[in-house]
Coordinates of all heavy atoms in Angstrom, one line a residue:
A1 N 91.8 80.7 308.6 CA 90.8 80.0 307.9 C 89.6 79.7 308.9 O 88.4 79.9 308.5 CB 91.2 78.7 307.3
K2 N 89.9 79.3 310.0 CA 88.8 79.0 311.1 C 88.1 80.2 311.6 O 87.0 80.1 312.1 CB 89.4 78.2 312.2 CG 90.1 76.9 311.9 CD 89.1 75.9 311.3 CE 89.8 74.6 311.0 NZ 88.9 73.5 310.6
Q3 N 88.7 81.4 311.3 CA 88.0 82.7 311.7 C 87.3 83.3 310.5 O 86.8 84.4 310.6 CB 89.1 83.6 312.2 CG 89.7 83.2 313.5 CD 90.8 84.1 313.9 OE1 90.9 85.2 313.4 NE2 91.6 83.7 314.9
G4 N 87.2 82.5 309.4 CA 86.4 83.1 308.3 C 87.1 83.6 307.1 O 86.5 84.2 306.2
V5 N 88.4 83.4 307.0 CA 89.3 83.8 305.9 C 89.4 82.7 304.9 O 90.1 81.7 305.2 CB 90.6 84.3 306.4 CG1 91.5 84.8 305.2 CG2 90.5 85.4 307.4
L6 N 88.8 82.8 303.8 CA 88.9 81.8 302.8 C 90.2 82.0 302.1 O 90.4 83.0 301.4 CB 87.7 81.8 301.8 CG 87.8 80.9 300.6 CD1 87.7 79.4 301.1 CD2 86.6 81.2 299.6
L7 N 91.1 81.1 302.1 CA 92.5 81.1 301.5 C 92.5 80.4 300.2 O 92.9 79.3 300.1 CB 93.5 80.6 302.5 CG 93.5 81.2 303.9 CD1 94.4 80.3 304.9 CD2 94.1 82.6 303.8
L8 N 92.0 81.1 299.1 CA 91.7 80.4 297.9 C 92.7 80.9 296.8 O 93.0 82.0 296.7 CB 90.3 80.9 297.4 CG 89.7 80.2 296.2 CD1 89.6 78.7 296.4 CD2 88.4 80.8 295.9
N9 N 93.2 79.9 296.1 CA 94.0 80.2 294.9 C 93.0 80.1 293.7 O 92.1 79.4 293.7 CB 95.1 79.1 294.7 CG 96.3 79.4 295.5 OD1 96.8 80.6 295.6 ND2 96.7 78.4 296.3
T10 N 93.3 80.8 292.6 CA 92.5 80.7 291.4 C 92.7 79.4 290.7 O 91.8 78.9 290.0 CB 92.8 81.8 290.4 OG1 94.1 81.8 290.0 CG2 92.4 83.2 291.0
V11 N 93.9 78.8 290.9 CA 94.2 77.4 290.3 C 94.5 76.6 291.6 O 95.4 77.0 292.4 CB 95.4 77.5 289.4 CG1 95.8 76.1 288.9 CG2 95.0 78.3 288.2
L12 N 94.0 75.4 291.7 CA 94.2 74.6 292.9 C 95.3 73.6 292.9 O 95.5 72.9 294.0 CB 92.8 74.0 293.3 CG 91.7 74.9 293.5 CD1 90.4 74.2 294.0 CD2 92.0 76.1 294.4
T13 N 95.9 73.3 291.8 CA 96.9 72.3 291.7 C 98.1 72.9 290.8 O 97.8 73.8 290.0 CB 96.5 71.0 291.1 OG1 95.9 71.2 289.8 CG2 95.5 70.3 292.1
V14 N 99.3 72.3 291.0 CA 100.5 72.7 290.2 C 101.4 71.6 290.1 O 101.5 70.7 291.1 CB 101.1 74.0 290.8 CG1 101.7 73.7 292.2 CG2 102.1 74.6 289.9
R15 N 102.2 71.4 289.1 CA 103.3 70.5 289.0 C 104.4 70.9 289.8 O 104.7 72.1 290.0 CB 103.8 70.3 287.5 CG 103.0 69.4 286.7 CD 103.7 69.2 285.4 NE 102.9 68.4 284.5 CZ 103.2 68.0 283.2 NH1 104.4 68.5 282.8 NH2 102.4 67.3 282.5
N16 N 105.2 70.0 290.4 CA 106.3 70.3 291.2 C 107.3 71.1 290.4 O 107.7 70.8 289.3 CB 107.0 69.0 291.6 CG 108.1 69.2 292.5 OD1 108.0 69.8 293.6 ND2 109.4 68.8 292.1
G17 N 107.7 72.3 291.0 CA 108.7 73.2 290.3 C 108.2 73.9 289.1 O 109.0 74.6 288.5
Q18 N 106.9 73.9 288.8 CA 106.4 74.5 287.6 C 105.2 75.5 287.9 O 104.1 75.1 287.7 CB 106.0 73.5 286.5 CG 107.2 72.6 286.1 CD 106.7 71.6 285.1 OE1 105.9 71.8 284.2 NE2 107.3 70.4 285.2
T19 N 105.5 76.7 288.2 CA 104.5 77.7 288.5 C 103.6 77.8 287.3 O 104.0 77.7 286.1 CB 105.1 79.0 288.8 OG1 106.0 78.9 289.8 CG2 104.1 80.1 289.1
F20 N 102.3 77.9 287.5 CA 101.3 78.1 286.5 C 101.0 76.9 285.6 O 100.4 77.1 284.6 CB 101.6 79.4 285.6 CG 101.7 80.6 286.4 CD1 102.9 81.4 286.1 CD2 100.8 81.1 287.3 CE1 103.1 82.6 286.8 CE2 101.0 82.2 288.0 CZ 102.1 83.0 287.8
S21 N 101.6 75.8 285.9 CA 101.5 74.6 285.0 C 100.1 74.1 284.9 O 99.8 73.4 283.9 CB 102.4 73.5 285.5 OG 102.1 73.2 286.9
H22 N 99.2 74.4 285.8 CA 97.8 73.9 285.6 C 96.8 75.1 285.3 O 95.6 74.9 285.4 CB 97.3 73.2 286.9 CG 97.9 71.8 287.0 ND1 97.7 70.9 288.0 CD2 98.8 71.2 286.1 CE1 98.4 69.8 287.8 NE2 99.0 69.9 286.7
R23 N 97.4 76.2 285.0 CA 96.6 77.4 284.6 C 95.9 77.0 283.3 O 96.4 76.4 282.4 CB 97.4 78.6 284.4 CG 96.6 79.8 284.0 CD 97.5 81.0 283.6 NE 97.9 81.7 284.8 CZ 98.8 82.7 284.8 NH1 99.3 83.1 283.6 NH2 99.0 83.4 285.9
G24 N 94.6 77.4 283.1 CA 93.9 77.2 281.9 C 93.3 75.8 281.7 O 92.8 75.5 280.7
K25 N 93.4 75.0 282.8 CA 92.9 73.6 282.7 C 91.5 73.5 283.2 O 90.9 72.4 283.1 CB 93.9 72.6 283.5 CG 95.3 72.7 283.0 CD 95.4 72.2 281.6 CE 96.8 72.2 281.1 NZ 97.0 71.7 279.7
G26 N 90.9 74.5 283.8 CA 89.5 74.5 284.3 C 89.4 75.0 285.7 O 88.2 75.2 286.1
W27 N 90.4 75.0 286.5 CA 90.3 75.5 287.8 C 89.7 76.9 287.9 O 88.9 77.2 288.8 CB 91.6 75.5 288.6 CG 92.1 74.2 289.0 CD1 93.3 73.6 288.8 CD2 91.4 73.3 289.9 NE1 93.4 72.4 289.4 CE2 92.2 72.1 290.1 CE3 90.2 73.2 290.4 CZ2 91.9 71.0 290.8 CZ3 89.8 72.1 291.2 CH2 90.7 71.1 291.4
E28 N 90.1 77.8 287.0 CA 89.6 79.1 287.1 C 88.1 79.2 287.0 O 87.5 80.0 287.6 CB 90.3 80.0 285.9 CG 91.8 80.1 286.1 CD 92.5 79.1 285.4 OE1 92.0 78.0 285.0 OE2 93.7 79.3 285.1
Q29 N 87.5 78.4 286.2 CA 86.0 78.3 286.1 C 85.4 78.0 287.4 O 84.4 78.5 287.8 CB 85.6 77.4 284.9 CG 84.2 77.6 284.6 CD 83.8 76.9 283.2 OE1 84.7 76.6 282.4 NE2 82.5 76.7 283.0
L30 N 86.0 77.0 288.1 CA 85.4 76.6 289.4 C 85.6 77.6 290.4 O 84.7 78.0 291.2 CB 86.1 75.3 289.8 CG 85.6 74.8 291.2 CD1 84.2 74.2 291.1 CD2 86.6 73.8 291.8
T31 N 86.8 78.2 290.5 CA 87.1 79.3 291.5 C 86.3 80.5 291.2 O 85.9 81.2 292.2 CB 88.6 79.5 291.8 OG1 89.2 79.8 290.5 CG2 89.3 78.3 292.4
D32 N 86.1 80.9 290.0 CA 85.2 82.0 289.6 C 83.8 81.8 290.0 O 83.2 82.6 290.6 CB 85.3 82.2 288.1 CG 86.5 83.0 287.6 OD1 87.3 83.4 288.5 OD2 86.6 83.2 286.4
A33 N 83.4 80.6 289.9 CA 82.0 80.2 290.4 C 81.9 80.4 291.9 O 80.9 80.9 292.4 CB 81.6 78.7 290.0
A34 N 82.9 79.9 292.6 CA 82.9 80.1 294.1 C 82.9 81.6 294.4 O 82.1 82.0 295.3 CB 84.2 79.4 294.7
I35 N 83.7 82.4 293.8 CA 83.7 83.8 294.1 C 82.4 84.5 293.8 O 81.9 85.3 294.5 CB 84.9 84.4 293.3 CG1 86.2 84.0 293.9 CG2 84.8 86.0 293.4 CD1 87.4 84.3 293.0
K36 N 81.9 84.1 292.6 CA 80.5 84.7 292.3 C 79.5 84.3 293.3 O 78.7 85.1 293.7 CB 80.1 84.2 290.8 CG 78.8 84.8 290.5 CD 78.5 84.7 289.0 CE 77.2 85.2 288.5 NZ 76.4 86.0 289.5
K37 N 79.4 83.0 293.7 CA 78.5 82.6 294.7 C 78.6 83.4 296.0 O 77.6 83.8 296.6 CB 78.5 81.1 295.0 CG 78.2 80.2 293.8 CD 76.7 80.2 293.6 CE 76.4 79.1 292.5 NZ 75.0 79.0 292.3
L38 N 79.8 83.6 296.4 CA 80.1 84.4 297.6 C 79.6 85.8 297.5 O 78.9 86.4 298.3 CB 81.5 84.4 298.0 CG 82.1 83.2 298.6 CD1 83.7 83.2 298.7 CD2 81.6 83.0 300.1
S39 N 80.0 86.4 296.3 CA 79.6 87.9 296.1 C 78.1 88.0 295.9 O 77.6 89.1 296.1 CB 80.4 88.5 295.0 OG 80.1 87.8 293.8
D40 N 77.4 87.0 295.5 CA 76.0 87.0 295.3 C 75.2 87.1 296.6 O 74.0 87.6 296.6 CB 75.5 85.8 294.5 CG 75.8 86.0 293.0 OD1 76.2 87.1 292.5 OD2 75.6 85.0 292.3
V41 N 75.7 86.5 297.7 CA 75.0 86.3 298.9 C 75.4 87.3 300.0 O 74.6 87.4 301.0 CB 75.0 84.9 299.4 CG1 74.3 84.0 298.4 CG2 76.4 84.5 299.7
R42 N 76.6 87.8 299.9 CA 77.0 88.8 301.0 C 78.1 89.7 300.5 O 78.7 89.4 299.5 CB 77.4 88.0 302.2 CG 78.7 87.2 302.0 CD 79.2 86.5 303.3 NE 78.3 85.5 303.9 CZ 78.3 84.2 303.5 NH1 79.1 83.8 302.5 NH2 77.5 83.4 304.1
V43 N 78.2 90.8 301.2 CA 79.3 91.7 301.0 C 80.6 91.2 301.7 O 80.5 90.9 302.9 CB 79.0 93.1 301.4 CG1 80.2 94.1 301.2 CG2 77.8 93.7 300.7
L44 N 81.6 91.0 301.0 CA 82.8 90.5 301.6 C 84.0 91.3 301.2 O 83.9 92.1 300.3 CB 83.2 89.1 301.0 CG 82.2 87.9 301.3 CD1 82.6 86.7 300.5 CD2 82.2 87.6 302.8
L45 N 85.1 91.2 302.0 CA 86.4 91.8 301.6 C 87.1 90.8 300.8 O 87.4 89.7 301.3 CB 87.1 92.2 302.9 CG 88.5 92.7 302.7 CD1 88.5 94.0 301.9 CD2 89.2 92.9 304.0

């Protein structure tokens, strides 16, 4: 991360023991916005 690798999940929280439990609650819209902002200003891998 300190070398420039953004370690991002599409959903940023989850219930204990319950994969995908916070999917569809709004995180995807925020992380999509972050990805779009990044791709708008530079070419990234």
Side-chain angles (χ1 to χ4, degrees):
K2 300 294 183 177
Q3 293 176 15
V5 179
L6 179 63
L7 301 165
L8 185 63
N9 282 311
T10 58
V11 174
L12 302 186
T13 56
V14 66
R15 278 187 183 180
N16 186 58
Q18 297 180 38
T19 304
F20 306 128
S21 55
H22 287 180
R23 180 188 276 176
K25 302 297 183 183
W27 282 127
E28 296 91 342
Q29 195 167 339
L30 180 74
T31 55
D32 281 355
I35 291 165
K36 179 162 182 7
K37 294 288 188 177
L38 283 168
S39 62
D40 284 350
V41 298
R42 66 175 66 85
V43 176
L44 295 173
L45 174 62

